[in-house]
Amino acid sequence: MEQLVIRDADVVDGSGEPAYRADVVVDRGRIVSIVKEAAAAGCQRPEAMRELDAEGLVLSPGFIDMHAHSDLAVLRDADHSAKAAQGVTLEVLGQDGLSYAPVDDRTLAQVRATITGWNGSGDDIDFDWRSVGEYLDRLDRGIAVNAAYLIPQGTVRMLAVGWEDRDATPQELDRMRQLVAEGMEQGAVGMSSGLTYTPGMYAKDAELTELCRVVASYGGYYCPHHRSYGAGALEAYEEMIELSREAGCSLHLAHATMNFGVNKGRAPELLTLLDEALAAGADITLDTYPYTPGCTTLVAMLPSWAHEGGPEAVLKRLADEETSARIRHDVEVVGSDGCHGVPMDWNTIEISGVSDPGLGEFVGRTVQESADLRGESPWATARHLLVQDRLGPTILQHVGHEENVQAIMRHRVHTGGSDGILQGAKPHPRAYGTFPQYLGRYVRELGVLSLEECVAHLTSRPAARLRLPDRGLVREGYRADLVLFDPATVAAGSTYENPRTLPTGIPHVLVDGQFVIEDGRRTDVLAGRAVRRSPV
C-alpha cells in the first residue's frame, strides 16, 4: 500500500493551467497517482497507509528559491524554518559570485571575511570541504530543503588571480576555466557573478565570456548580479545579454530590479529590452523579490579600488585619514561603482545587522539617524561601523519602486528569488516572507498575478531553468516536493519590525515525500539533499 494520499486538494500543478480537484498519491518520494475529481466521479478512491484531508487547501509543487544566501545556514540550522515554512523545497546557493567552494585555505579565509555579513563568520562550521563536489557531498548528509549550487566567479578569480584589479594572464584564465569545468562536472548548475562586488567585478567581459563558454558546454546557465542597478542599469542589462549571446550561454538575471531615483518608472524599458532579446532567440530568465528595499553589506557601498588586496586592505584604507577621505568623496559625491554609480543618500541606508553585539544600538536605524544622534557626519558613523565590526554590518537600502516591482513580476520569464540574508538582528523580511508575500499580497490582495500564473513563476519556470526533469510540476512520476496552502489566508508574517516571524496559511510542506512542515510545525525530518546538474 502506498505511503500517503492527499485527498480533495485543489491542485495548482505549476503549469499555469486552471486548478482542478484531485486525490494525489505519494509513495517513496514520488507522485505515483493523480485521481481527478475522485469524490464526484464516484470511482474507487485511492487508499494509502496515511490520508491527509486537503479540503480547502491548494496543493502545488514546492517553491524554488532561485536566489538564496543559505550557503552556511543549511548546515548551521537543521530547522531552517525561514525557508521550509514558506513552502520552499529547493534553494539555489552560490550567488553573487561569492561562496565557499571551490577554495583553498587562503581563499576560504578571505571569503569568510568578505561575506561575514551574508552568512556569519563561520566559526561554528566545520569547513571540511574545498571543492564544489565536496560541498555538495556535505549537503547530502541531510538538510531541511534541497539545494543546488552555482560556481561563484568571484571566488574562482580569488583563487586564480587574487584581489588585484587587472586582466588575468593566459595561464590564470586557463586555471579559471579549469575550476569552472571541474565545478560543473561535480554537479553545479551554472556560474554566478557579483559585478559590483570584488574581486569578481575586476573581470572584464572578455574574461567572463570565456568562463561562460565553459558553463554553456555543460548545459549550465550564467547568473550575474550585473554591474549596475542604478545609474547604468539598462546598459548593464544590455551588457549581460550581449555577453551571454557571444558565449552561447543561457542567462538568468539575478534580482532583476530597477532601483534608485534615476530608474523610477523605467521597468517597461527593461522589459522591452528583454522582449527584443527573447524574440531574437536568447534564452533568458530572471528572478525578483516582492519588496522595494534592497539588502546587502555596508562595505559593498565602497568603490572597487578600496577593496583591492582583500578585506584587510580595506580596513587599512579606512583607518588612513587621507584614503578614507577619498573613499568618502567617491561614495558621497561621485557615486561609487559599489553603490551603482549613484551618490549616497545616507537616509536610505538602514543597518540591519552587526557581528559585534556591542554595536547593536545602530541596528534598525539609518546611518543618517545614528549620525545625528552621535553628532557627527554620516560617513564618520559608517566608517566607525565598518572598522569596529570588521566589515560585518548588513544594510537595507530603501531605493526601490513599487510600480517597477509589479511590472517586472508580470513578465513571462520571471521567477521568484528571496535574495534572503538570514544574518543580523533585523534582516530583510524577504528572507522569511518572499513566497507567501507573492501569494498573499500580489495574488489575493492586489491581483497582480492569478494564482495559477504565480505558482508557475515559483515552480515550473525555475525548474525548467535548472533543467530538472522531474520537479516543478504536480505530475505522476515527479518528485513529491509539495506544498499545501490556504489561498484565503496565506501571508507573510515577517515585517520590517519583526522580520523573523513565520508565515501563515501554509500548514504542510513535503520534501521527497516527507513532511518537513506538518500542521504548521517544523518536524525533525532532514529530507533535503544536493540537487546536481542534469547531464547534457
Side-chain angles (χ1 to χ4, degrees):
M1 183 176 289
E2 280 80 17
Q3 171 189 355
L4 170 71
V5 58
I6 302 170
R7 248 190 239 297
D8 293 323
D10 293 322
V11 179
V12 177
D13 67 4
S15 68
E17 295 299 313
Y20 60 85
R21 193 173 177 86
D23 291 351
V24 177
V25 183
V26 172
D27 190 46
R28 299 175 190 173
R30 299 273 177 178
I31 300 169
V32 296
S33 178
I34 300 172
V35 182
K36 296 183 179 181
E37 298 290 350
C43 64
Q44 179 65 40
R45 303 191 71 174
E47 296 182 357
M49 290 184 289
R50 178 175 176 186
E51 179 177 317
L52 175 64
D53 182 2
E55 182 70 39
L57 298 178
V58 166
L59 173 68
S60 81
F63 306 134
I64 298 176
D65 188 342
M66 286 296 287
H67 193 101
H69 287 285
S70 305
D71 306 48
L72 298 185
V74 291
L75 304 176
R76 171 185 295 125
D77 177 18
D79 181 85
H80 202 41
S81 287
K83 294 301 179 66
Q86 292 187 59
V88 171
T89 58
L90 170 60
E91 300 182 273
V92 184
L93 311 177
Q95 299 286 350
D96 294 331
L98 291 166
S99 190
Y100 304 92
V103 292
D104 57 16
D105 291 348
R106 172 184 62 86
T107 55
L108 175 60
Q110 292 174 336
V111 169
R112 287 176 61 182
T114 301
I115 53 175
T116 292
W118 292 357
N119 297 305
S121 67
D123 290 342
D124 54 343
I125 300 294
D126 178 11
F127 288 91
D128 59 352
W129 70 86
R130 293 295 182 269
S131 71
V132 170
E134 289 167 347
Y135 176 69
L136 297 178
D137 289 344
R138 176 70 178 273
L139 301 181
D140 276 339
R141 298 181 199 172
I143 51 180
V145 302
N146 298 308
Y149 190 73
L150 294 165
I151 302 163
Q153 170 261 331
T155 303
V156 167
R157 197 172 212 272
M158 207 182 297
L159 261 173
V161 181
W163 286 83
E164 299 173 33
D165 184 1
R166 62 170 175 82
D167 292 345
T169 66
Q171 293 79 14
E172 289 166 342
L173 184 56
D174 283 343
R175 175 64 173 145
M176 286 190 281
R177 287 194 195 98
Q178 178 188 0
L179 289 166
V180 172
E182 288 173 354
M184 295 300 295
E185 288 170 1
Q186 292 165 9
V189 295
M191 182 181 76
S192 74
S193 284
L195 299 180
T196 64
Y197 299 128
T198 53
M201 71 187 299
Y202 298 144
K204 293 179 180 174
D205 285 0
E207 179 181 310
L208 296 170
T209 299
E210 289 302 309
L211 300 185
C212 284
R213 287 194 173 107
V214 177
V215 173
S217 71
Y218 288 92
Y221 68 93
Y222 180 42
C223 180
H225 164 129
H226 50 272
R227 298 192 193 273
S228 177
Y229 290 82
L234 285 173
E235 294 81 2
Y237 282 114
E238 202 164 5
E239 175 191 6
M240 293 299 101
I241 291 170
E242 175 57 25
L243 188 156
S244 64
R245 186 201 63 77
E246 178 69 20
C249 188
S250 300
L251 178 66
H252 180 84
L253 297 166
H255 38 61
T257 57
M258 290 290 288
N259 286 341
F260 301 90
V262 294
N263 290 317
K264 183 176 174 62
R266 297 187 70 190
E269 295 177 58
L270 168 61
L271 301 181
T272 297
L273 179 65
L274 289 175
D275 286 337
E276 290 173 351
L278 290 164
D283 179 10
I284 304 174
T285 49
L286 59 86
D287 65 69
T288 69
Y289 45 83
Y291 298 87
T292 52
C295 178
T296 186
T297 57
L298 182 60
V299 70
M301 300 293 101
L302 305 188
S304 58
W305 62 261
H307 293 265
E308 193 170 0
E312 291 303 319
V314 177
L315 289 167
K316 288 181 181 178
R317 291 186 179 103
L318 288 167
D320 179 77
E321 293 297 331
E322 184 176 339
T323 311
S324 175
R326 183 182 164 202
I327 294 171
R328 175 182 183 173
H329 180 78
D330 273 15
V331 169
E332 294 185 345
V333 180
V334 177
S336 75
D337 46 6
C339 194
H340 310 276
V342 178
M344 176 62 71
D345 176 358
W346 292 109
N347 286 296
T348 67
I349 304 298
E350 177 185 350
I351 302 299
S352 59
V354 290
S355 299
D356 180 355
L359 299 169
E361 66 186 280
F362 293 91
V363 175
R365 294 177 183 155
T366 68
V367 171
Q368 184 69 60
E369 287 170 340
S370 288
D372 290 344
L373 289 171
R374 290 165 61 86
E376 62 187 13
S377 71
W379 172 248
T381 297
R383 181 187 180 194
H384 170 76
L385 277 166
L386 287 166
V387 171
Q388 294 302 311
D389 206 38
R390 295 190 61 79
L391 314 183
T394 52
I395 61 170
L396 301 186
Q397 194 169 16
H398 295 272
V399 293
H401 308 285
E402 181 66 22
E403 65 270 36
N404 286 348
V405 170
Q406 293 190 24
I408 294 169
M409 75 169 63
R410 290 188 182 101
H411 198 273
R412 65 186 186 280
V413 300
H414 169 267
T415 67
S418 70
D419 196 11
I421 294 174
L422 300 170
Q423 290 296 117
K426 295 186 75 173
H428 196 303
R430 70 193 186 194
Y432 283 71
T434 286
F435 295 87
Q437 178 83 341
Y438 271 117
L439 297 168
R441 177 164 173 75
Y442 289 95
V443 172
R444 185 179 63 247
E445 295 177 9
L446 299 180
V448 174
L449 297 168
S450 71
L451 179 59
E452 289 85 354
E453 184 181 10
C454 184
V455 168
H457 286 227
L458 307 181
T459 59
S460 64
R461 216 173 268 177
R465 165 53 70 221
L466 295 168
R467 298 182 67 248
L468 302 177
D470 57 357
R471 299 177 195 265
L473 292 166
V474 179
R475 292 281 192 276
E476 292 180 356
Y478 274 56
R479 290 188 176 273
D481 293 345
L482 301 168
V483 56
L484 288 114
F485 62 90
D486 182 348
T489 63
V490 62
S494 59
T495 64
Y496 293 102
E497 287 303 312
N498 296 291
R500 297 186 188 276
T501 306
L502 296 179
T504 57
I506 306 179
H508 305 290
V509 181
L510 292 86
V511 173
D512 199 35
Q514 302 176 64
F515 285 92
V516 296
I517 300 292
E518 186 173 10
D519 295 323
R521 297 182 179 86
R522 178 70 172 94
T523 70
D524 60 1
V525 168
L526 294 175
R529 297 294 185 270
V531 174
R532 291 168 171 81
R533 175 187 59 84
S534 298
V536 178

